[in-house]
Amino acid sequence: MPEQNVIDPVIQMPRKVKLAGDPKLPFHIALTATDSSYSQWQCRIMYYWYKKVKDLPGSDMGGFTRVLHSGKPDNLMDEIPTFVVDPLPAGLDRGYIVLNRPWAFVQWLEKANIPEEYILMAEPDHIFVKPLPNLANEKYPVAFPFFYIKPAENEKNLRKFYPEEKGPVTDIDPIGNSPVIIKKTLLTKIAPTWMNVSLGMKDDPETDKAFGWVLEMYAYAVASALHGVQHILRKDFMIQPPWDTEIGKAFIIHFTYGCDYSLKGELTYGKIGEWRFDKRSYLRGPPPRNLPLPPPGVPESVVTLVKKVNEATANIPGWDTEDKEQRNQNS
């Protein structure tokens, strides 16, 4: 296990890993998705930026797969490399669609031919800012630490799935499954446990209520700890606007939060702003091309996010057509 007292303030990793100097190896990018319009437009933008940075200097990015857990092909099969897997049996997810994610990875790892030895688990609302190297080590995957994943504050519920004989709950990393770069052999061991822990947590009313929409994230962290796998924690793996205001050294923009601002450039989080970009505004159809840029004073991270969305939608063939068709269907 890594020495807990040997860390640097931004990148937490064992000293022996930092000094190992392992040769970098390509990793396969995999994101789980549904066939909903909401998922599709995010996947299209994500895939655009993957192609844009994949072959630039410093990249260890290999192949790409959208793991589609809707059980049947959709209309993006020719645009994005896709592997279709089955969803959970009807009703088992209880409306928590993310519960399909670990089951999707179990199927994909078992059935697909994946040439790379490492895998990046990503999500549709990720945008690559620059080429991504393989940040992982053979024994230590790399992950982004989430401020809201707090194992030490949730010991009562976690002990139902991570017994005391396994060690302190602080052995559970403050992470989700994404973004994570991990050796394929490690993920193959973790994935079935991740699926079972997710289902177990969902079956426990107290744990389900405590963890809510981050339940599956806790399940991945617990499953990894059960297998004795600890992650290198990289805060520079990605940023999350509007809370992260600068791009800095980040590799990925995660646009999970709404960005609401007054016309004076003041953040109005929790209140719809005079200017806003929120992916949930486009649940039923993709955003239009050429979204208005934020007003002066809005942080670099938000401006960059909108510019990257606009560049992608301007260059993805048929974007306006898809948008009009979707609006007609919803009218």
Side-chain angles (χ1 to χ4, degrees), residues 97-236:
I97 194 83
V98 184
L99 212 59
N100 286 278
R101 184 177 291 152
W103 173 223
F105 270 108
V106 168
Q107 296 174 80
W108 178 63
L109 290 163
E110 182 180 301
K111 298 176 182 178
N113 178 24
I114 309 161
E116 296 89 351
E117 291 302 315
Y118 288 81
I119 292 167
L120 165 65
M121 291 187 282
E123 293 182 17
D125 59 357
H126 287 175
I127 289 177
F128 292 107
V129 179
K130 60 184 179 182
L132 180 60
N134 189 343
L135 304 170
N137 176 275
E138 184 173 2
K139 294 181 180 179
Y140 297 96
V142 64
F144 176 80
F146 289 90
F147 69 88
Y148 51 80
I149 301 296
K150 301 177 179 179
E153 295 181 15
N154 289 279
E155 181 161 5
K156 180 182 176 184
N157 286 308
L158 291 174
R159 281 303 183 199
K160 300 172 187 177
F161 308 94
Y162 191 73
E164 288 191 18
E165 58 266 24
K166 282 289 184 178
V169 290
T170 50
D171 285 348
I172 300 171
D173 291 326
I175 62 171
N177 85 291
S178 176
V180 166
I181 302 177
I182 185 170
K183 199 154 200 273
K184 183 169 58 180
T185 50
L186 282 182
L187 184 56
T188 301
K189 293 176 183 177
I190 291 170
T193 308
W194 172 27
M195 179 185 72
N196 291 331
V197 173
S198 295
L199 293 170
M201 286 182 171
K202 193 66 181 172
D203 276 339
D204 184 82
E206 187 180 15
T207 305
D208 184 23
K209 182 179 180 180
F211 291 163
W213 280 95
V214 297
L215 179 148
E216 166 270 339
M217 296 174 69
Y218 271 104
Y220 174 79
V222 168
S224 298
L226 287 170
H227 285 277
V229 175
Q230 194 161 17
H231 295 67
I232 299 166
L233 304 180
R234 293 280 301 240
K235 290 184 179 179
D236 62 346

Side-chain angles (χ1 to χ4, degrees), residues 68-80:
L68 182 64
H69 54 74
S70 300
K72 60 185 186 297
D74 66 0
N75 61 340
L76 293 184
M77 303 297 289
D78 294 333
E79 180 177 333
I80 304 175

Side-chain angles (χ1 to χ4, degrees), residues 193-322:
T193 308
W194 172 27
M195 179 185 72
N196 291 331
V197 173
S198 295
L199 293 170
M201 286 182 171
K202 193 66 181 172
D203 276 339
D204 184 82
E206 187 180 15
T207 305
D208 184 23
K209 182 179 180 180
F211 291 163
W213 280 95
V214 297
L215 179 148
E216 166 270 339
M217 296 174 69
Y218 271 104
Y220 174 79
V222 168
S224 298
L226 287 170
H227 285 277
V229 175
Q230 194 161 17
H231 295 67
I232 299 166
L233 304 180
R234 293 280 301 240
K235 290 184 179 179
D236 62 346
F237 208 159
M238 72 179 186
I239 59 166
Q240 302 185 99
W243 310 119
D244 297 306
T245 58
E246 298 178 356
I247 300 296
K249 296 181 179 180
F251 297 96
I252 294 170
I253 296 175
H254 183 209
F255 57 96
T256 191
Y257 295 104
C259 299
D260 288 275
Y261 289 87
S262 71
L263 294 182
K264 295 180 180 178
E266 299 163 335
L267 181 65
T268 62
Y269 192 79
K271 176 184 175 183
I272 294 177
E274 296 171 290
W275 179 93
R276 78 179 324 222
F277 176 76
D278 187 337
K279 67 178 184 178
R280 294 163 193 82
S281 300
Y282 309 103
L283 290 171
R284 296 186 176 183
R289 285 176 164 163
N290 197 29
L291 292 169
L293 292 178
V298 171
E300 171 201 25
S301 62
V302 180
V303 176
T304 302
L305 166 61
V306 178
K307 285 182 176 179
K308 288 191 174 294
V309 168
N310 281 346
E311 178 179 331
T313 60
N315 289 284
I316 295 173
W319 189 271
D320 281 343
T321 304
E322 293 283 333

